[in-house]
Amino acid sequence: MRRRNFIKLSLATYASLALPSTSSAADVDLKQVDFNNSVYTDNNAQTIMIFMYGGASSLAGNLTNIDEINNESQSDYYNYFRGVNPTANGCWQEAGGTHMEEMMDAGDMTLFRTSFSQVREDNNNKAHGSCTVQNQKGSFDEDGGGVVANLAQVLKNNGVIDEETILPFVTLEGESTFYAEGRDQLPSYLKPVGLNESFSNPYNRNRVRDWTKYTPKERETENYNDSELGFDPALEGEMNSLAQSHNSNIKIKDAFAKRGSLGEFIDDIADAATPDLGANAYPTNSSFAEKIEAAIKIMDNNPDTKVITMNTGGLGGWDDHNDARNYVTRSEELFLSLKSGMAHLDALGKKNKISIMVFSEFGRNVNLNSALGWDHGNLQNLYVFGGTDYFTHRGVVGETEVSVTGQINRLYLKPKAGTEQFEHLSIAATLYKIFGIT
């Protein structure tokens, strides 16, 4: 694999956006990059990063080799799954492929099929922990900073984010390695605010119950009235006064002073209406769909929010060593929700600025094992949506072929010779390019 070999997307703006392919750790070692002095152009971008923890199989987006896979597989795909039908572009129809086709036809999506790490292959590294850390740091050096933490440092250094910026980074999954600090400690205002799809508000105090009104038995049985939730205004004032008088640190005082306005700000976002999406309405009873909807609401109502990270909670994990049938329904809900998300962005007129990137720590092999699942692999898909100021979407990029090793449970997809391919860590480089870091 040649150094500095690029998968290039056609341009909708002056800036090139590429996924660089690398052959050694040195190519992507972020300790060699001085983020304090990076060349930066303000692209005014916003990105939602969705990480599929557990190592998602690439088959939802790639059934192009299914007949050969099935012939070599330990167990029979066609007998086990309830439908294994390729779409026009070789996606798995029953596993969300129909939705992918619609988004590609609309120019909303690019499917990269050949994210493959030769470095990991050479080192036989297919471990969840190290691969997750590497992908979320964009580096084989696991001591470096997380992708979003590095981005935050550049945006701060270039005056895009300061202490007055509201919610520049939001996590809908809790803390992750995306925000891990590297050489430079991040100031508190660059660290993510944790929210959830219900917009549980970390800044307000209006959900406090006066338990003195209830008997011990009522407390045990939760026999109380939610309409009585509230917060005593006198106590509110006293707490704010104490915060100002007992803290000598000006920043802490300012934080307490801003708490009320931030609480109202988040409540206003939560109350914002989602446009009528018609046939593309978000699926009901799907907490993952609610996360997508919440993330788009935040970015639409707050252009200061640069990156939101989230997992696929509500769908389940992707560590499908056995009983992989659920992978199909999980993938179907994932891409149906993403299709609704793209319709949401379209209705808001925000498909140009807001992009969505979906990827995992690694892929899986394609031998359907005796437990009717797949074990760890290397090749995975990267799904990119929206952000048309930065992408002119290309549909499908990359071709695969089947690697038959002759060993049981060692059946893999790999990039076809001569096709476009890139290291998993290049996904981080793409995020930097979206925001104008070169």
Side-chain angles (χ1 to χ4, degrees), residues 169-212:
F169 304 104
V170 174
T171 172
L172 296 178
E173 60 166 327
E175 192 64 53
S176 73
T177 313
F178 281 121
Y179 303 98
E181 295 180 349
R183 291 175 298 176
D184 297 322
Q185 186 174 358
L186 291 179
S188 60
Y189 64 86
L190 291 183
K191 295 179 180 180
V193 172
L195 298 173
N196 62 20
E197 63 271 23
S198 301
F199 290 96
S200 295
N201 196 329
Y203 295 103
N204 69 26
R205 296 174 180 151
N206 62 2
R207 301 290 294 175
V208 178
R209 190 181 306 281
D210 183 358
W211 290 108
T212 61

Side-chain angles (χ1 to χ4, degrees), residues 106-396:
D108 290 340
M109 171 183 169
T110 300
L111 163 57
F112 294 93
R113 284 179 169 155
T114 47
S115 176
F116 178 85
S117 176
Q118 190 62 50
V119 176
R120 289 182 186 170
E121 196 70 16
D122 293 342
N123 289 277
N124 193 29
N125 176 18
K126 299 181 179 71
H128 288 294
S130 61
C131 291
T132 296
V133 170
Q134 289 166 6
N135 284 13
Q136 293 188 355
K137 291 191 172 186
S139 173
F140 290 113
D141 171 18
E142 297 183 14
D143 292 330
V147 177
V148 182
N150 290 332
L151 174 64
Q153 192 71 47
V154 176
L155 297 182
K156 177 186 76 73
N157 292 344
N158 285 275
V160 178
I161 294 174
D162 58 29
E163 294 184 47
E164 300 303 316
T165 306
I166 300 174
L167 306 180
F169 304 104
V170 174
T171 172
L172 296 178
E173 60 166 327
E175 192 64 53
S176 73
T177 313
F178 281 121
Y179 303 98
E181 295 180 349
R183 291 175 298 176
D184 297 322
Q185 186 174 358
L186 291 179
S188 60
Y189 64 86
L190 291 183
K191 295 179 180 180
V193 172
L195 298 173
N196 62 20
E197 63 271 23
S198 301
F199 290 96
S200 295
N201 196 329
Y203 295 103
N204 69 26
R205 296 174 180 151
N206 62 2
R207 301 290 294 175
V208 178
R209 190 181 306 281
D210 183 358
W211 290 108
T212 61
K213 296 180 179 179
Y214 300 95
T215 66
K217 184 176 182 61
E218 286 174 326
R219 295 175 204 169
E220 289 176 9
T221 60
E222 297 187 355
N223 182 23
Y224 40 73
N225 185 357
D226 271 353
S227 66
E228 294 183 9
L229 286 174
F231 200 85
D232 183 357
L235 180 57
E236 169 93 1
E238 184 176 348
M239 290 180 69
N240 289 337
S241 177
L242 286 170
Q244 296 302 310
S245 62
H246 286 270
N247 284 297
S248 58
N249 187 297
I250 297 299
K251 292 183 179 180
I252 293 177
K253 289 185 176 183
D254 288 345
F256 272 97
K258 292 176 181 176
R259 183 206 54 75
S261 61
L262 283 171
E264 293 175 3
F265 184 80
I266 293 174
D267 286 343
D268 287 343
I269 293 175
D271 292 339
T274 298
D276 183 0
L277 304 179
N280 290 318
Y282 286 101
T284 58
N285 300 318
S286 169
S287 61
F288 175 72
E290 290 174 0
K291 282 187 177 183
I292 294 287
E293 183 179 11
I296 291 173
K297 274 188 176 185
I298 293 167
M299 288 192 158
D300 177 44
N301 288 278
N302 185 37
D304 279 350
T305 298
K306 302 303 181 184
V307 176
I308 296 175
T309 57
M310 56 185 283
N311 57 20
T312 54
L315 300 179
W318 301 90
D319 198 12
D320 292 302
H321 286 283
N322 55 277
D323 297 328
R325 186 176 284 164
N326 289 333
Y327 167 85
V328 177
T329 53
R330 203 182 311 131
S331 295
E332 165 69 15
E333 186 176 339
L334 170 72
F335 290 104
L336 176 60
S337 301
L338 287 164
K339 185 174 72 171
S340 297
M342 291 312 301
H344 191 173
L345 289 176
D346 191 29
L348 297 170
K350 295 293 180 71
K351 284 198 301 185
N352 63 324
K353 288 294 182 187
I354 299 175
S355 60
I356 303 174
M357 303 175 72
V358 184
F359 60 105
S360 190
E361 64 261 44
F362 49 59
R364 308 196 81 78
N365 72 22
V366 291
N367 175 67
L368 190 61
N369 61 32
S370 59
L372 299 172
W374 307 290
D375 293 325
H376 297 185
N378 187 344
L379 182 139
Q380 71 159 311
N381 296 332
L382 165 67
Y383 306 92
V384 181
F385 306 85
T388 51
D389 278 359
Y390 325 109
F391 292 102
T392 296
H393 287 288
R394 294 174 53 185
V396 176

Side-chain angles (χ1 to χ4, degrees), residues 412-428:
Y412 298 99
L413 286 177
K414 65 179 184 180
K416 189 174 182 179
T419 196
E420 298 169 297
Q421 64 185 47
F422 57 97
E423 277 275 359
H424 304 313
L425 308 189
S426 298
I427 297 170

